[in-house]
Amino acid sequence: MFATRFAPSPTGYLHLGHAFSAWTAFDAAQSEQGRFILRIEDTDLTRCRPEFEAAIYEDLAWLGLTWESPVRRQSDHMADYEAALERLKALGLLYRCFKTRKELMEAIASAPHSFSGPEPVAPLPPSDEADQLATGKAYAWRLSLARSAAVIGADWDRLGFEANGQWVKADPGQLGDIVLARKEFPSSYHLASVLDDASQGITHVIRGEDLAEAAHIHVVLQKLLGLPTPIYRHHRLILDADGKRFAKRNQSVTLRSLRESGTSPALIRTSLGL
Ligand code: GLU
């Protein structure tokens, strides 16, 4: 059965971009007589807040959406993500990366060519790794694409997915060795999202085209973890008058401020071209 989801992170109030995304997924589920699932992606405990989660339910209900309950909150399932992380570690696919964001930025800035590719990271030789560990420095667990390719073998070149009705060959190299977890934090968006899409039986992932790149790495994770690959639909992004994406900090276009200003959901739908 067709099943899709809207998976916001409660790090701010929902805005017009979220409304477009949620409606796009909801409308697809309605027209396929399928399931519409709301999932709260709150693994980043430092940025997520309960009042934003409460606002998500309130704002989506105001838009007229209905969803299945209970709602899955990722923070309730950290042990599942950690177990998957351990499986990948046991396969030798993860390595510790001690580079800070600042160091990565500096490496990119000093590269001979203007750099727009994956971050310049690589596993350390074991003795260097031991030295770094001994300092107690923070680190991230990164997924090695080279080792993933070796484990997946001949199927590596056949990895791909359907997006917007077309077959796309996976090109995970464009994202490089992504961060799957941090020293004291067992999950990242990529791992939790892939695991939950599978455990919730999501057949169609419908989300903004800003996440189109992520699908290239999600198929790798699905293959490694023995999970099915859903069909992807990446929709256009809703931009502000300056052609920029709405940011959660931009208060004027939050659904609650629109509601307070007397706008109706029907008017918002029309203005979004739905
Ligand atoms: N939680 C993500 C966000 O709020 C959405 C991820 C997804 O749809 O896969 O941007």
Side-chain angles (χ1 to χ4, degrees), residues 5 7-9 18 39 41 189 193 205-207 211 248:
R5 85 304 194 273
S9 300
H18 294 109
R39 181 166 79 221
E41 300 210 322
Y189 155 66
S193 174
V205 168
I206 300 174
R207 61 187 175 198
L211 288 164
K248 281 189 176 157

Side-chain angles (χ1 to χ4, degrees), residues 103-115:
E103 285 164 348
L104 287 170
M105 288 298 145
E106 280 165 8
I108 290 170
S110 65
H113 311 285
S114 70
F115 195 92

Side-chain angles (χ1 to χ4, degrees), residues 92-222:
L93 298 173
L94 305 186
Y95 64 89
R96 291 185 183 88
C97 174
F98 294 87
K99 285 193 180 164
T100 61
R101 178 111 322 258
K102 190 164 164 268
E103 285 164 348
L104 287 170
M105 288 298 145
E106 280 165 8
I108 290 170
S110 65
H113 311 285
S114 70
F115 195 92
S116 65
E119 291 164 320
V121 288
L124 287 174
S127 60
D128 293 0
E129 185 181 24
D131 291 349
Q132 293 276 13
L133 266 181
T135 66
K137 206 176 161 188
Y139 57 82
W141 284 107
R142 288 184 182 265
L143 176 71
S144 162
L145 285 184
R147 295 182 199 164
S148 299
V151 164
I152 292 174
D155 280 349
W156 179 258
D157 288 328
R158 289 192 278 271
L159 286 182
F161 52 93
E162 185 188 321
N164 297 358
Q166 295 204 321
W167 179 255
V168 181
K169 189 177 175 346
D171 175 17
Q174 58 181 299
L175 280 173
D177 291 349
I178 53 155
V179 171
L180 280 193
R182 297 194 182 274
K183 186 179 175 188
E184 273 137 16
F185 200 69
S187 188
S188 67
Y189 155 66
H190 296 293
L191 188 60
S193 174
V194 157
L195 287 163
D196 281 355
D197 285 339
S199 70
Q200 296 190 289
I202 302 297
T203 60
H204 290 70
V205 168
I206 300 174
R207 61 187 175 198
E209 62 192 18
D210 53 331
L211 288 164
E213 253 191 344
H216 292 263
I217 199 73
H218 291 184
V219 290
V220 173
L221 287 170
Q222 286 149 3

Side-chain angles (χ1 to χ4, degrees), residues 46-70:
T46 58
R47 291 172 61 227
C48 294
R49 299 225 304 260
E51 62 267 37
F52 293 137
E53 183 182 333
I56 288 172
Y57 303 131
E58 205 180 291
D59 293 345
L60 293 180
W62 178 65
L63 294 181
L65 302 195
T66 50
W67 53 88
E68 291 183 5
S69 49

